[in-house]
């Protein structure tokens, strides 16, 4: 970099608004603050670090190499990894209760189970530690103006407030309000698909003070048209997620019907949950929908860029939604360097590079929707056959 551009950079601290203080917004705030931008985060919910109840898409998530690389860049990797549980293999539970592992990769390779709430809290705390970052909670983006970059938020006192920025980074999730302006533009491609399955989370409590199942695995009960998975938590519980077509969920309306379903398909899990816990969790909340969103481009003029689920919501079966969102932050950071923070060049280049990769993640996730609940069964038999022959 020559001296004049460096001087220009120092004198020109860009004002950046990050809309959404979830996982990707939190990490992005760290990346942008680290580079010296004036960063203001607007999150519609209350501060998760003070909230009594935390609502989110899932209790825990699988963090992989892709996400770790991005965390590493802002010095967060070790902290997050130390609060994660390595999962070296999938553990397949057959209908008769037999358990068989299928490794994810070579010896020593693993993904990590991390708690969503803790990860989000750590990212917000890290972002807030930069003197050039300000976090605003209970601020919901209503709309923004693509010509001026002026955003209108609904504040905590119920009044509307305007805020202007040089760059708006939309990290406000699958139902992004930032994205609405993109939809009004010509030549913006957008598609969203709901899958017929819903999901519901169940907690498997510890047993005699320890994990009820082997902790270093991602447990899967594949049953072709539906499945259950379980990821371990630091408090020795497992979060089990049941994925089934909505019409199957709707058939289960009583405790007896639930137990009959579990007796037939997930018998080995019943004593591990306990009947009361199972009935309590199952009927606590309705099953949640899952949506896949693709769009292109990811930028609008020199003013706005979409990242994370706002740009590419994926179905959760590939375990890469958050990881891909974290990678978005890293790729954007690299392109900012490459084009010396010239937003008129950075934003189109980001869309050019990132859209094909994000679309690929959406497609792979949709493919894995079938892989995990059905093909994993046949893969397991092939794997057993292979082991029998060596
Ligand atoms: P979000 O997490 O949705 O955060 C968006 C934030 O924006 C929220 O805090 C929201 O309150 C805020 N917001 C929304 N609207 C506004 C507004 N108008 N103004 C201001 N703020 C606003 N991914 C993985 O990598 N690994 C996994 O194992 C995994 N498991 C999953 C399991 C399930 C069941 C599901 C549903 C998803 C899973 N994912 C996983 C995907 C992952 O949850 C998402 O990709 C990730 O949460 C995306 O982060 P985000 O910050 O882009 O969006």
């Amino acid at each position: 970099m020559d001296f004049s551009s460096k001087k220009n950079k120092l004198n020109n601290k860009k004002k950046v608004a990050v809309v959404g203080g979830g996982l990707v917004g939190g990490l992005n705030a760290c990346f942008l603050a680290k580079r010296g931008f004036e960063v203001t985060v607007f999150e519609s919910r209350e501060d998760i670090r003070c909230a009594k109840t935390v609502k989110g898409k899932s209790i825990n998530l699988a963090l992989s190499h892709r996400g770790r690389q991005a965390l590493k860049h802002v010095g967060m990797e070790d902290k997050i990894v130390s609060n994660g549980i390595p999962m070296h293999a999938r553990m397949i539970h057959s209908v008769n209760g037999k358990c068989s592992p299928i490794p994810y990769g070579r010896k020593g390779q693993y993904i990590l189970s991390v708690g969503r709430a803790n990860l989000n809290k750590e990212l917000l705390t890290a972002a807030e530690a930069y003197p050039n970052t300000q976090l605003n909670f209970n601020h919901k983006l209503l709309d923004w103006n693509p010509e001026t970059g002026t955003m209108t938020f609904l504040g905590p006192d119920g009044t509307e407030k305007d805020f202007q920025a040089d760059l708006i980074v939309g990290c406000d999730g699958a139902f992004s309000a930032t994205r609405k302006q993109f939809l009004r533009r010509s030549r913006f491609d957008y598609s969203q698909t709901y899958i017929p399955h819903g999901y519901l989370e169940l907690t498997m409590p510890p047993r005699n003070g320890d994990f009820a199942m082997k902790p270093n695995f991602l447990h899967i009960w594949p049953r072709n048209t539906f499945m259950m998975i379980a990821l371990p938590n630091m408090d020795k519980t497992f979060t089990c997620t049941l994925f089934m077509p909505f019409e199957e969920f709707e058939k289960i309306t009583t405790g007896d019907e639930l137990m009959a379903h579990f007796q037939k398909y997930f018998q080995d899990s019943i004593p591990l949950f306990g009947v009361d816990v199972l009935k309590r969790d199952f009927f606590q909340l309705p099953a949640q929908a899952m949506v896949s969103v693709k769009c292109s481009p990811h930028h609008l003029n020199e003013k706005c860029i979409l990242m994370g689920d706002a740009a590419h919501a994926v179905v959760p079966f590939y375990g890469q939604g958050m990881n891909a969102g974290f990678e978005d932050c890293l790729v954007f950071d690299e392109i900012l360097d490459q084009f010396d923070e010239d937003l008129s060049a950075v934003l189109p280049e980001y869309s050019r590079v990132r859209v094909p990769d994000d679309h690929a993640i959406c497609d792979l996730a949709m493919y894995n929707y079938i892989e995990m609940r059905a093909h994993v069964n046949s893969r397991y038999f092939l794997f057993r056959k292979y082991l029998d022959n060596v």
Side-chain angles (χ1 to χ4, degrees):
M1 181 197 311
D2 68 20
F3 179 71
S4 59
S5 67
K6 194 167 195 172
K7 191 170 153 211
N8 182 38
K9 232 170 148 179
L10 290 174
N11 290 339
N12 182 19
K13 295 270 184 247
K14 289 188 173 57
K15 267 178 91 172
V16 181
V18 176
V19 182
L23 300 178
V24 176
L27 180 63
N28 234 334
C30 295
F31 267 94
L32 297 162
K34 189 175 172 221
R35 117 178 344 268
F37 291 168
E38 260 183 61
V39 180
T40 312
V41 178
F42 296 95
E43 164 58 47
S44 57
R45 295 179 302 181
E46 66 179 309
D47 187 343
I48 187 175
R49 295 167 297 177
C50 321
K52 285 201 185 85
T53 50
V54 179
K55 284 186 196 154
K57 289 178 171 168
S58 61
I59 290 166
N60 53 22
L61 315 105
L63 173 69
S64 70
H65 179 75
R66 178 173 279 120
R68 283 179 67 168
Q69 287 301 102
L71 289 168
K72 189 179 186 171
H73 216 79
V74 291
M76 294 288 293
E77 187 190 20
D78 291 346
K79 187 157 208 168
I80 301 305
V81 168
S82 68
N83 277 307
I85 301 175
M87 299 182 290
H88 297 273
R90 294 172 276 197
M91 182 67 88
I92 308 302
H93 294 242
S94 67
V95 180
N96 64 17
K98 193 164 181 284
C99 288
S100 315
I102 303 180
Y104 275 113
R106 286 189 296 276
K107 206 165 181 252
Q109 291 184 319
Y110 58 87
I111 52 175
L112 281 152
S113 174
V114 296
R116 179 189 292 268
N118 182 60
L119 177 55
N120 204 161
K121 287 177 192 175
E122 294 287 3
L123 289 170
L124 291 174
T125 299
E128 205 171 39
Y130 290 92
N132 46 328
T133 299
Q134 203 202 324
L135 306 183
N136 297 290
F137 297 95
N138 299 305
H139 278 71
K140 182 180 181 180
L141 178 76
L142 299 176
D143 204 356
W144 64 282
N145 182 322
E147 308 333 310
T148 60
T150 306
M151 291 155 277
T152 306
F153 292 94
L154 185 65
D157 56 1
T159 61
E160 291 186 11
K161 288 180 192 174
D162 283 351
F163 186 86
Q164 197 158 17
D166 300 316
L167 175 67
I168 300 167
V169 185
C171 301
D172 48 346
F175 305 101
S176 170
T178 316
R179 201 176 54 215
K180 280 186 200 154
Q181 275 297 340
F182 286 63
L183 290 161
R184 293 179 190 144
R185 295 275 152 154
S186 159
R187 298 181 62 210
F188 177 66
D189 290 331
Y190 176 79
S191 70
Q192 85 173 35
T193 309
Y194 279 94
I195 56 170
H197 282 61
Y199 74 95
L200 194 148
E201 288 184 315
L202 308 160
T203 302
M204 185 180 281
R207 219 173 182 208
N208 305 323
D210 207 351
F211 286 101
M213 302 184 291
K214 288 184 177 171
N216 296 112
F217 295 90
L218 192 156
H219 293 262
I220 312 180
W221 291 257
R223 301 294 180 260
N224 291 317
T225 54
F226 55 89
M227 69 169 177
M228 184 164 75
I229 66 167
L231 274 74
N233 297 309
M234 293 296 276
D235 64 1
K236 299 195 187 321
T237 60
F238 275 92
T239 300
C240 304
T241 312
L242 182 57
F243 296 96
M244 287 201 305
F246 275 103
E247 58 196 33
E248 294 297 325
F249 274 115
E250 281 152 17
K251 281 184 198 158
I252 302 173
T253 56
T254 65
D256 287 347
E257 283 165 357
L258 174 68
M259 294 322 297
H261 188 78
F262 267 71
Q263 285 287 355
K264 190 166 177 191
Y265 297 108
F266 310 116
Q267 198 181 11
D268 64 331
S269 74
I270 298 174
L272 306 177
F273 281 115
V275 172
D276 291 344
V277 170
L278 194 51
K279 287 184 183 172
R280 182 200 66 197
D281 283 6
F282 188 89
F283 293 108
Q284 204 163 36
L285 289 171
Q288 305 294 306
M290 284 169 284
V291 69
S292 177
V293 170
K294 273 187 186 174
C295 66
S296 174
H298 288 172
H299 74 285
L300 202 167
N301 302 339
E302 297 170 29
K303 278 283 172 232
C304 184
I305 191 98
L306 299 175
M307 291 195 210
D309 278 15
H312 50 80
V314 303
V315 290
F317 307 103
Y318 199 49
Q320 286 296 332
M322 165 195 69
N323 287 296
F326 281 4
E327 195 177 57
D328 289 347
C329 307
L330 183 59
V331 170
F332 190 64
D333 191 64
E334 285 167 0
I335 297 175
L336 278 165
D337 276 344
Q338 205 181 328
F339 290 90
D340 203 18
E341 298 176 357
D342 172 3
L343 298 181
S344 66
V346 169
L347 270 57
E349 177 64 4
Y350 177 84
S351 283
R352 190 188 70 77
V353 168
R354 201 59 189 152
V355 166
D357 288 351
D358 286 335
H359 284 189
I361 290 282
C362 281
D363 293 342
L364 284 164
M366 210 47 118
Y367 167 76
N368 229 39
Y369 172 37
I370 302 163
E371 163 79 23
M372 267 183 101
R373 65 186 148 93
H375 294 171
V376 87
N377 276 325
S378 48
R379 242 170 262 280
Y380 158 64
F381 286 116
L382 284 173
F383 188 61
R384 292 292 326 164
K385 217 169 162 187
Y386 164 75
L387 287 182
D388 291 345
N389 287 322
V390 287

